[in-house]
């Protein structure tokens, strides 16, 4: 990790509910290098959106008892609201999941785009500035040109017309393009894309993803891509972090993850995806644990076909299973990926090795004791 | 207009022989047009032809997959077949009975033969009824035994969809998405229907749950020989569940055929583009689909469909004839038809197709 733009370290996020404290994010670590696209993959309720909202600082009702979020080396959790506000939109911006509801229906696309430009980098708009803005048409005209230019860049064929349109007048694909345009308007260094294609049709989704890919490539923007679809993650990302129940259970470079999936959850997920050549698997029995009363050991143990009694007791800290591959499962041996887990590693849980590895060498198998540096 | 005889026989009602001589379900020229009104007097100003002459048949115990993007009319087709929306015209024969002709009373009685599983399990179950009364509702309506017999049947159905029996005393709000959908399935098959429409039964669910639901649906089909119409936008899923598929675009079927032929060699530019847009998780799958084709623009406004071939506004192969008349379904294999002039020998361009 030469120069990460974003580092998340041991992040915990809790919510107070009437059933007690929900420990929704339980100590996750990941980082994104400059210019890299990382994906956060997981199913409904695994905490992907909570993770990115805590990065953006959009979770007023949550408490973060522990953890660090470093953006360009600076701990954003220690910043004041105003300071975080001034970074949103300018330094990091986000494409929301649902293009149908994340645009304001009573403002035109143009008004919403101008807002971004007017507010960027400013926590509050001072009165004198407001007066100056109203009196001079210069800034406004400039903003307008910039906004229309941006609409053109997301391949909207009639940018002037769309600029004057209300969101309802646009199709889903167009709205998603507008959202991308808004997110990229102030040239952020970090873009968070929360399932940008999910609400669209396949042919439109494919186009929007290609476009996004092109735009971030041009600008060398780092992207954190949230998706539930491993197929999409495979297409867009350099690295994948697989999340389950508020923990990152496996992280690896994209090609490595697909060649050598290790965590039983990752494997179950991959088997469940209907494919063209092999068929559809059996899925994963059971459901997510109760966040207000999470299991002490592995959060996946209840649904895991390989779980032993020990899995329910001992926390499966993420361990290095390859040069750049970490898996949080007792089936694998390896040094702890995080320093804070070293004490746990002194008392290893032995439940044997993964059954799919004992039958013969798995394709692309990386020996378990390789890459123990770090 | 070119008057010369077609060298490739246009097969308007092309129904391949296979085991479809005596289909369980057959749809002929089904249409559903929604009128549009405008002005203060609500004058009829036109119509949206959501389903515009759709024909296909399904053999007993088979699954026919209907695929298309939002607005293509696939859900409207399924709903009009069951008369959940009244079709404008056409013929829908289920087990030899033309459903469109049935009177209200007859229709109600006939509904035991045809059921539907809705897309969103969260909104298709009454949140104030317990699971038992939800599954029991169709049994009561169709006078299925006494309360004891019904209870027994409910237990049987819960076993069938792999839910613990004590779940019958829960409310839908206490169930997960996958469990709710199992209740939806149990309700649909309660009366041993011959035909069930599955309207995106898994699109609201996670993939790990989807796989379980699909397995349950397949087990039920195998055991009771139910005929399914599976509506979805997910082609990879369809590849795994359907025997034959139909690709819809703006209210018309543009390609129909058995699943292996259509996936192996799609014969309509739209089916090919759809297939090419699938995201895959392995190199193997990457090779199994056509290279990415990017379609121009978006689906046109259904109120103003292009003349001739509705797909021509986005088609890379468009030529003069496409705007003039709509192509017929051309036979492209033992069980595969496609609605595209590229397969018409009258036009030179046909040679371009592979």
């Amino acid at each position: 990790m030469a120069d990460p733009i974003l580092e998340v370290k041991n992040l915990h996020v809790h919510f107070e509910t009437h059933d007690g404290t929900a420990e929704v994010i339980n100590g996750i670590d990941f980082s994104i290098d400059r210019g890299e696209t990382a994906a956060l993959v997981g199913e409904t309720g695994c905490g992907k959106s909570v993770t990115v909202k805590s990065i953006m600082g959009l979770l007023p009702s949550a408490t973060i008892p522990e953890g660090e979020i470093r953006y360009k080396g600076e701990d954003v959790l220690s910043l004041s609201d105003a300071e975080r506000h001034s970074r949103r939109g300018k330094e990091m911006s986000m494409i929301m999941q649902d293009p149908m509801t994340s645009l304001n229906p009573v403002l035109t696309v143009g008004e919403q785009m101008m807002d971004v430009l007017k507010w960027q980098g400013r926590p509050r708009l001072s009165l004198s500035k407001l007066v100056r803005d109203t009196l001079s048409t210069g800034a406004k005209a400039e903003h307008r040109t910039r906004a229309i230019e941006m609409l053109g860049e997301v391949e909207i064929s009639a940018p002037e017309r769309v600029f004057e349109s209300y969101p309802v007048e646009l199709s889903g694909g167009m709205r998603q393009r507008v959202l991308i345009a808004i997110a990229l308007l102030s040239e952020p260094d970090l873009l968070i894309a929360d399932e940008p294609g999910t609400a669209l049709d396949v042919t439109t989704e494919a186009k929007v993803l290609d476009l996004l890919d092109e735009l971030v490539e041009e600008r060398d923007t780092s992207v954190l891509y949230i998706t539930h679809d491993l197929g999409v993650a495979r297409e867009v990302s350099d690295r994948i972090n697989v999340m389950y129940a508020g923990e990152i259970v496996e992280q690896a470079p994209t090609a490595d993850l697909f060649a050598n999936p290790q965590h039983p959850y990752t494997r179950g997920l991959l088997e469940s995806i209907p494919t063209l050549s092999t068929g559809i698997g059996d899925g994963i029995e059971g459901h997510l644990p109760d966040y207000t009363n999470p299991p002490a050991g592995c959060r996946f143990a209840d649904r895991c076909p390989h779980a032993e009694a020990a899995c329910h007791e001992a926390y499966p800290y993420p361990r290095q299973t390859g040069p750049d591959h970490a898996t949080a499962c007792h089936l694998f041996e390896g040094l702890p990926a995080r320093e804070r887990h070293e004490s746990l590693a002194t008392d290893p849980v032995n439940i044997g090795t993964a059954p799919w590895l004992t039958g013969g060498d798995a394709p692309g198998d990386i020996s378990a004791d390789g890459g123990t540096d770090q | 207009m070119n008057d010369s005889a077609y060298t490739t026989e246009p097969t308007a009602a092309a129904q391949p022989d296979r085991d479809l001589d005596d289909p369980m379900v057959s749809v002929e020229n089904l249409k559903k047009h929604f009128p549009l009104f405008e002005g203060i007097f609500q004058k009829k100003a036109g119509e949206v032809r959501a389903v515009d002459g759709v024909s296909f048949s399904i053999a007993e115990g088979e699954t026919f997959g209907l695929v298309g993007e939002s607005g293509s009319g696939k859900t409207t087709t399924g709903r009009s077949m069951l008369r959940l929306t009244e079709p404008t015209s056409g013929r829908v024969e289920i087990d030899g009975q033309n459903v469109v002709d049935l009177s209200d009373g007859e229709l109600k009685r006939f509904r035991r033969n045809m059921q539907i599983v809705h897309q969103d399990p969260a909104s298709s179950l009454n949140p104030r009824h317990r699971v038992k009364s939800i599954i029991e509702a169709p049994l009561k309506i169709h006078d299925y035994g006494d309360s004891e017999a019904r209870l027994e049947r409910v237990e049987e159905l819960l076993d069938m969809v792999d839910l613990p029996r004590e779940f019958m005393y829960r409310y839908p709000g206490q169930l997960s998405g996958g469990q709710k959908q199992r209740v939806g399935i149990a309700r649909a098959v309660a009366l041993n229907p011959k035909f069930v429409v599955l309207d995106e039964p898994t699109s609201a669910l996670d993939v790990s749950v989807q796989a379980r639901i699909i397995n349950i649906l397949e087990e039920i089909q195998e055991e009771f020989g139910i005929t399914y119409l599976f509506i979805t936008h997910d082609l990879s899923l369809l590849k795994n569940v359907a025997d034959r598929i139909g690709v819809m675009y703006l209210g018309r079927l543009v390609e129909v055929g058995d699943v292996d032929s259509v996936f192996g060699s799609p014969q309509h530019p739209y089916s090919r583009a759809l297939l090419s847009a699938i995201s895959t998780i392995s190199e193997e799958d990457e090779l199994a689909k056509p290279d990415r084709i990017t379609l121009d623009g978006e689906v046109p406004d259904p109120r103003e469909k292009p003349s001739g071939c509705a797909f021509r506004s986005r088609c890379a192969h468009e030529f003069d004839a496409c705007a003039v008349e709509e192509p017929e379904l051309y036979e492209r294999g033992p069980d595969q038809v496609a609605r595209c002039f590229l397969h018409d020998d009258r036009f030179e361009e046909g040679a371009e197709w592979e």
Side-chain angles (χ1 to χ4, degrees):
Chain A
M1 298 288 145
D3 182 19
I5 186 162
L6 180 77
E7 279 177 290
V8 173
K9 287 184 187 162
N10 194 21
L11 179 70
H12 290 255
V13 181
H14 291 181
F15 288 91
E16 296 304 326
T17 71
H18 57 262
D19 294 327
T21 306
E23 296 165 25
V24 172
I25 302 293
N26 186 32
I28 60 168
D29 298 79
F30 68 95
S31 63
I32 305 172
D33 283 348
R34 277 173 206 269
E36 188 184 54
T37 299
L40 209 51
V41 182
E43 295 184 288
T44 319
C46 74
K48 345 179 256 299
S49 291
V50 170
T51 305
V52 297
K53 284 182 181 160
S54 23
I55 295 170
M56 291 290 287
L58 298 175
L59 284 176
S61 62
T63 49
I64 300 179
E66 234 185 297
E68 264 177 60
I69 298 172
R70 293 195 165 272
Y71 175 74
K72 292 185 175 168
E74 170 187 56
D75 188 0
V76 295
L77 291 178
S78 62
L79 296 177
S80 70
D81 274 358
E83 284 171 310
R84 295 198 79 174
H85 187 103
S86 69
R87 280 162 181 76
R88 270 197 292 269
K90 191 169 171 57
E91 289 281 341
M92 45 170 104
S93 64
M94 184 162 170
I95 302 172
M96 298 284 181
Q97 179 165 6
D98 186 356
M100 304 303 158
T101 55
S102 38
L103 287 168
N104 188 335
V106 300
L107 297 179
T108 62
V109 166
E111 285 170 308
Q112 300 184 52
M113 296 186 82
M114 303 275 277
D115 262 1
V116 176
L117 291 169
K118 193 159 109 188
W119 287 86
Q120 61 170 321
R122 279 188 228 148
R124 310 255 180 291
L125 204 59
S126 70
L127 189 64
S128 59
K129 179 75 185 155
L130 189 73
V131 173
R132 228 179 313 145
D133 277 0
T134 334
L135 293 179
S136 80
T137 47
K140 217 170 177 182
E142 198 179 295
H143 288 168
R144 190 190 149 91
T145 325
R146 171 87 190 100
I148 290 177
E149 200 182 278
M150 195 64 227
L151 287 175
E153 279 183 62
V154 294
E155 289 170 17
I156 286 174
S157 49
E160 279 92 1
R161 188 173 58 79
V162 170
F163 186 85
E164 305 291 346
S165 304
Y166 286 93
V168 284
E169 300 172 73
L170 307 174
S171 67
M174 288 285 254
R175 272 183 250 188
Q176 193 60 292
R177 281 164 201 267
V178 168
L179 284 177
I180 293 176
I182 290 177
L184 292 176
L185 202 51
S186 44
E187 308 269 331
D189 289 327
L190 175 66
L191 177 69
I192 296 176
D194 190 357
E195 310 235 17
T198 310
L200 306 175
D201 279 323
V202 276
T203 54
T204 321
E205 176 180 14
K207 260 204 303 201
V208 168
L209 295 189
D210 285 349
L211 172 73
L212 188 58
D213 207 36
E214 228 171 79
L215 291 174
V216 299
E217 194 93 345
E218 271 170 31
R219 290 169 172 70
D220 205 26
T221 312
S222 317
V223 184
L224 177 59
Y225 206 102
I226 314 303
T227 178
H228 67 277
D229 187 336
L230 271 166
V232 169
R234 177 172 180 267
E235 249 167 64
V236 300
S237 66
D238 307 312
R239 286 182 69 76
I240 293 183
N241 301 285
V242 181
M243 269 191 98
Y244 178 77
E247 291 170 354
I248 290 180
V249 294
E250 185 164 2
Q251 46 195 179
T254 303
D256 192 22
L257 187 89
F258 284 94
N260 181 22
Q262 294 178 334
H263 198 280
Y265 176 66
T266 315
R267 297 181 69 88
L269 206 54
L270 280 169
E271 274 163 28
S272 311
I273 298 174
T275 63
L276 298 178
S277 42
T278 48
I280 194 167
D282 294 329
I284 306 173
E285 275 290 357
H287 44 84
L288 283 170
D290 181 358
Y291 282 118
T292 57
N293 183 22
C298 174
R299 287 188 169 192
F300 185 60
D302 279 342
R303 305 175 71 182
C304 181
H306 312 291
E308 304 277 339
C311 295
H312 296 272
E313 306 302 325
Y315 171 68
Y317 58 87
R319 51 207 77 193
Q320 291 295 138
T321 56
D324 193 13
H325 199 141
T327 304
C329 178
H330 292 304
L331 285 173
F332 293 87
E333 285 171 26
L335 291 180
R338 320 281 163 227
E339 270 172 25
R340 63 176 190 275
H341 294 131
E342 262 161 19
S343 60
L344 288 173
T346 53
D347 182 22
V349 174
N350 187 7
I351 59 164
T353 45
W356 60 89
L357 292 177
T358 48
D361 280 347
D365 181 28
I366 295 163
S367 103
D369 46 15
T372 47
D373 49 285
Q374 204 182 51
Chain B
M1 192 72 80
N2 196 333
D3 261 340
S4 68
Y6 295 159
T7 31
T8 309
E9 198 67 48
T11 45
Q15 291 307 339
D17 37 36
R18 219 168 153 213
D19 40 358
L20 289 173
D21 291 338
D22 183 24
M24 171 56 72
V25 176
S26 90
V27 178
E28 263 172 61
N29 208 11
L30 182 70
K31 287 185 185 176
K32 174 68 193 177
H33 298 173
F34 293 101
L36 291 171
F37 301 102
E38 76 179 15
I40 47 169
F41 298 112
Q42 291 296 293
K43 206 174 105 211
K44 190 169 176 235
E47 54 188 7
V48 170
R49 297 189 206 155
V51 178
D52 200 14
V54 162
S55 309
F56 60 90
S57 17
I58 320 174
E60 185 170 1
E62 278 206 336
T63 302
F64 186 85
L66 209 50
V67 71
E69 296 182 286
S70 32
S72 61
K74 50 191 195 308
T75 294
T76 311
T77 302
R79 293 181 60 91
S80 346
M81 283 170 71
L82 302 185
R83 280 183 67 185
L84 294 172
T85 49
E86 282 301 325
T88 307
S89 67
R91 204 180 154 78
V92 178
E93 239 172 61
I94 294 172
D95 196 23
Q97 173 67 53
N98 184 2
V99 179
V100 181
D101 286 347
L102 292 176
S103 70
D104 286 356
E106 290 168 328
L107 179 66
K108 188 186 153 191
R109 278 190 296 282
F110 194 73
R111 285 210 184 277
R112 63 158 61 223
N113 294 317
M114 48 178 200
Q115 290 291 325
I116 185 166
V117 175
H118 293 281
Q119 175 165 7
D120 183 4
S123 59
S124 56
L125 303 178
N126 188 331
R128 306 184 65 163
H129 284 204
R130 292 182 196 272
V131 168
K132 176 168 177 270
S133 78
I134 290 172
I135 301 180
E136 214 181 12
L139 300 173
K140 277 185 174 163
I141 291 167
H142 292 277
D143 298 323
Y144 182 98
D146 54 10
S147 68
E148 217 163 289
R150 288 199 300 266
L151 180 70
E152 215 168 281
R153 179 70 182 150
V154 171
E155 284 175 346
E156 209 176 283
L157 288 160
L158 286 173
D159 291 349
M160 211 188 283
V161 294
D162 230 350
L163 279 181
R165 288 185 178 182
E166 60 270 20
F167 270 39
M168 74 170 89
Y169 301 110
R170 296 203 182 181
Y171 289 98
Q174 296 168 289
L175 307 179
S176 71
Q179 290 166 342
K180 278 182 217 164
Q181 197 56 298
R182 291 178 201 207
V183 173
I185 293 169
R187 175 174 63 182
V189 301
L191 290 156
N192 270 323
K194 298 200 162 81
F195 173 56
V196 176
V197 173
L198 306 167
D199 186 6
E200 306 243 22
T202 57
S203 58
L205 308 173
D206 280 321
V207 279
S208 63
V209 180
Q210 164 173 289
R212 291 285 311 141
I213 298 289
I214 295 297
N215 286 332
I216 288 171
L217 285 169
E218 283 183 341
E219 279 160 28
I220 291 175
Q221 180 173 46
E222 225 157 89
E223 197 172 336
F224 303 99
I226 303 177
T227 307
Y228 286 150
L229 175 70
F230 200 110
I231 299 170
T232 180
H233 63 276
D234 184 343
L235 274 162
S236 339
L237 178 60
L238 216 47
K239 172 78 166 66
N240 289 282
V241 299
D243 299 295
R244 300 176 69 241
I245 72 168
V247 181
M248 275 191 90
Y249 188 78
L250 279 178
R252 300 283 276 167
L253 277 169
V254 295
E255 180 158 359
V256 186
D258 69 280
V259 74
D260 292 327
S261 312
V262 177
F263 276 83
S265 154
Q267 295 293 314
H268 192 281
Y270 180 64
S271 337
R272 186 175 275 206
L274 269 185
L275 270 171
S276 80
I278 297 178
S279 66
T280 61
I281 52 162
S282 68
E283 272 320 301
E284 233 176 317
D285 273 15
E286 202 67 50
L287 296 172
K289 66 172 190 145
D291 291 338
R292 173 71 60 83
I293 299 162
T294 312
L295 292 178
D296 293 334
E298 299 192 20
V299 182
D301 188 336
R303 286 168 296 188
E304 294 152 26
K305 281 192 215 176
S307 63
C309 172
F311 182 62
R312 74 184 163 87
S313 61
R314 305 174 75 193
C315 184
H317 305 278
E318 189 201 354
F319 57 96
D320 309 343
C322 302
V324 181
E325 59 178 311
E326 197 193 18
E328 307 281 351
L329 284 167
Y330 294 93
E331 212 160 313
R332 298 297 297 163
D335 182 11
Q336 188 174 13
V337 290
R339 192 184 294 286
C340 181
F341 278 139
L342 293 179
H343 305 307
D344 192 323
D345 290 352
R346 284 183 297 164
F347 307 110
E348 288 267 310
E349 284 82 354
E352 274 178 23
W353 192 264
E354 289 185 335

